[in-house]
Amino acid sequence: MFTVDIRIQQPYAASTAFDLQASFALAPGQCLGIMGASGSGKTTLLHSIAGLLMPSSGVIRSGDHVWFDHKQTIQLPPWQRRVGLVFQDGRLFPHMSVEQNLRYGMPAGLARIVLPEVVDVLAIQPLLKRKPSQLSGGEKQRVAIGRALLRQPSVLLMDEPLSGLDDGLKQQVLPYIKQVIATFGLPTLYVSHVGDEVAEVADEVLTLAQGVLRQVVD
Amino acid sequence: MWSLSPVEIDIVLLSLKVAACCVLVLLLPAIAMAWLLARKQFWGHAVVDALVHLPMVLPPVVLGYMLLVLLGRRGWIGSWLYEQFHIQLTFHWWGAVIASAVMAFPLMVRAIRQALMQVNPLLEQAAQTLGATPVKTFFSITLPLSYHGVLTGGILAFSRSLGEFGATITFAGNLEGETRTLPLAIYSLTQSPEGDAAALRLVMLSVLVSVFALLASQWLERRLLRSQR
């Protein structure tokens, strides 16, 4: 079980007040959709889980592993958290081939999620030798999802992975995302401001409003 | 007319050796300093920044003299180096390397710093979520993406070293076969009544070496660019 119970206040040196409270639990294979308007703190929440930002208080736990515990002053850095974060813009490394990008986060030793399976599920075999600059937006996001999966994450975080794509490309990539969630059985957080998109992917949808993450659809 | 004398060959080889060593000596400290100035905010940042750029505004002879005070045989550090390790930098080609390295340092730092500032920090963030420590992130993402700055800095440092005169002659001296690089040899020839023709040959040789170095660096840059696309 992946559990989050945190409060985030003023994570950036911004002048505007920011206060976000989030509390939820994710079972293996469960996809939780998080909706919210722009600026509501969706990305901040994912970055806090990934260790890129520090919450003000609370606990983040992945099974028996504590990633963050304010009271016990535990704060694992991002590279020690098994997290697969898919960014809005893919963020593929431009100087590496697709295959090098995919292999970048792969830990040494035996892996549960292996390269051939990921390549197969995401249908990216023909792209392996290409550079990110030679890919379309949809292809880039498929590679970014594959790269996050090969990190062998204990939670998959998707931060508006389709927001940079036009409607046609969205419809092409969405089935791959559903296939990934179904195949690899990872607890997944899917963040978007588009209701239809979240509803299509997630088992359960929460809405982030006025700094509080609360359940609206079961 | 077009063949080089053994002395001229020695002068060119010494100049190239000093310039190449200058680039090698500067590489690590310049990358480290550029990263520090580009990515870290700390108390005294502006002072460190100003000190790094000082050789660009100070007369080279002043710097040469400062080096002499610090690293000369009777200098604060130089006397210790000599007593402990029998290392003497004055009148030695390593002295010429250090003099030109001090002059070229700000040029190299500036070029690398500019390139580091152009690397998207969000890519470094992505690398860290993929398990990369800050050190791995630097060597696998930041540095490869700022290679053009390192290359430009290297070319600038090499060229600066090839043309270095004031600091070298003040600190390392003008010793034939040891510290007499191309500019110092040209200067020495212009001081002798019948040295004009020989000085002109060395001037032409300097131009040739510089043009060749620039062409080689452009070729290298094109190759690197092609491999990254």
Side-chain angles (χ1 to χ4, degrees):
Chain A
M1 189 67 93
F2 186 82
T3 56
V4 173
D5 184 7
I6 51 172
R7 183 170 186 184
I8 310 162
Q9 290 169 299
Q10 291 292 116
Y12 310 102
S15 54
T16 51
F18 185 97
D19 193 348
L20 190 156
Q21 282 177 284
S23 180
F24 55 85
L26 271 171
Q30 185 188 357
C31 179
L32 185 68
I34 296 180
M35 274 186 62
S38 292
S40 59
K42 302 185 299 292
T43 297
T44 303
L45 174 63
L46 294 194
H47 284 198
S48 298
I49 295 170
L52 298 171
L53 290 171
M54 190 162 85
S56 320
S57 61
V59 179
I60 301 172
R61 194 185 293 270
S62 171
D64 296 334
H65 300 280
V66 179
W67 287 3
F68 174 78
D69 189 327
H70 182 252
K71 282 185 184 153
Q72 292 187 53
T73 61
I74 297 171
Q75 162 76 11
L76 291 190
W79 55 92
Q80 285 179 5
R81 300 182 186 202
R82 281 296 168 88
V83 60
L85 178 52
V86 181
F87 295 90
Q88 270 180 38
D89 51 358
R91 291 191 201 171
L92 298 181
F93 305 131
H95 58 301
M96 296 181 189
S97 69
V98 165
E99 187 172 349
Q100 287 169 325
N101 265 282
L102 288 170
R103 288 184 183 279
Y104 188 84
M106 279 174 73
L110 281 176
R112 191 171 73 84
I113 302 172
V114 292
L115 184 68
E117 192 183 8
V118 168
V119 167
D120 188 42
V121 169
L122 293 165
I124 49 178
Q125 180 67 42
L127 315 178
L128 289 180
K129 300 292 172 217
R130 291 197 210 162
K131 286 282 172 71
S133 59
Q134 298 167 312
L135 305 179
S136 69
E139 288 170 338
K140 278 181 189 165
Q141 279 311 64
R142 273 150 60 198
V143 174
I145 294 166
R147 187 177 69 172
L149 285 170
L150 286 162
R151 168 79 182 128
Q152 317 295 320
S154 42
V155 63
L156 188 60
L157 310 175
M158 296 206 194
D159 186 8
E160 306 225 25
L162 305 182
S163 69
L165 309 180
D166 61 38
D167 286 343
L169 279 175
K170 274 183 190 174
Q171 291 313 314
Q172 280 178 30
V173 179
L174 210 49
Y176 289 107
I177 292 177
K178 288 199 273 188
Q179 184 66 30
V180 161
I181 294 167
T183 306
F184 298 104
L186 291 165
T188 305
L189 269 183
Y190 191 96
V191 160
S192 176
H193 64 278
V194 183
D196 293 349
E197 186 187 314
V198 181
E200 201 167 334
V201 175
D203 309 313
E204 187 184 354
V205 180
L206 302 182
T207 295
L208 183 54
Q210 289 158 348
V212 180
L213 196 64
R214 58 188 162 84
Q215 194 166 16
V216 288
V217 178
D218 197 330
Chain B
M1 167 73 184
W2 296 109
S3 63
L4 296 175
S5 71
V7 174
E8 287 170 332
I9 290 172
D10 281 351
I11 291 168
V12 173
L13 288 179
L14 175 69
S15 299
L16 292 174
K17 181 169 78 173
V18 167
C21 287
C22 166
V23 174
L24 289 176
V25 161
L26 283 182
L27 207 54
L28 278 180
I31 289 172
M33 182 56 76
W35 177 82
L36 195 71
L37 291 174
R39 290 297 166 87
K40 296 286 163 190
Q41 282 305 322
F42 53 90
W43 190 86
H45 186 282
V47 177
V48 174
D49 200 2
L51 282 174
V52 165
H53 287 88
L54 207 57
M56 288 178 81
V57 289
L58 274 180
V61 176
V62 172
L63 267 170
Y65 183 74
M66 285 161 77
L67 283 174
L68 205 57
V69 171
L70 270 180
L71 298 169
R73 173 87 182 271
R74 290 177 193 151
W76 298 341
I77 301 170
S79 58
W80 178 80
L81 279 175
Y82 188 75
E83 281 162 22
Q84 297 296 316
F85 309 106
H86 283 276
I87 292 172
Q88 184 182 333
L89 294 168
T90 47
F91 304 111
H92 192 279
W93 67 272
W94 267 109
V97 171
I98 287 169
S100 54
V102 169
M103 295 303 298
F105 187 60
L107 297 171
M108 203 159 178
V109 170
R110 276 173 79 89
I112 299 171
R113 182 183 179 181
Q114 288 294 327
L116 285 174
M117 286 167 78
Q118 283 168 19
V119 175
N120 185 354
L122 299 179
L123 291 175
E124 295 165 342
Q125 223 177 41
Q128 297 198 348
T129 66
L130 290 162
T133 60
V135 174
K136 184 186 172 187
T137 303
F138 180 77
F139 284 105
S140 61
I141 308 294
T142 317
L143 199 56
L145 287 176
S146 36
Y147 80 92
H148 57 280
V150 178
L151 193 67
T152 307
I155 294 163
L156 287 171
F158 190 86
S159 316
R160 185 72 190 82
S161 178
L162 274 184
E164 207 329 276
F165 177 80
T168 305
I169 201 166
T170 313
F171 175 59
N174 184 8
L175 202 62
E176 191 179 335
E178 191 63 44
T179 63
R180 188 172 291 173
T181 54
L182 271 165
L184 272 67
I186 293 167
Y187 167 77
S188 302
L189 286 168
T190 57
Q191 298 305 299
S192 70
E194 288 158 10
D196 284 352
L200 189 63
R201 279 171 64 88
L202 285 184
V203 167
M204 287 162 67
L205 209 52
S206 294
V207 173
L208 272 178
V209 168
S210 304
V211 169
F212 181 76
L214 281 175
L215 288 175
S217 66
Q218 281 172 1
W219 172 80
L220 189 67
E221 193 170 1
R222 272 200 301 273
R223 262 182 71 104
L224 277 169
L225 196 65
R226 214 175 298 139
S227 71
Q228 293 214 339
R229 267 183 197 149

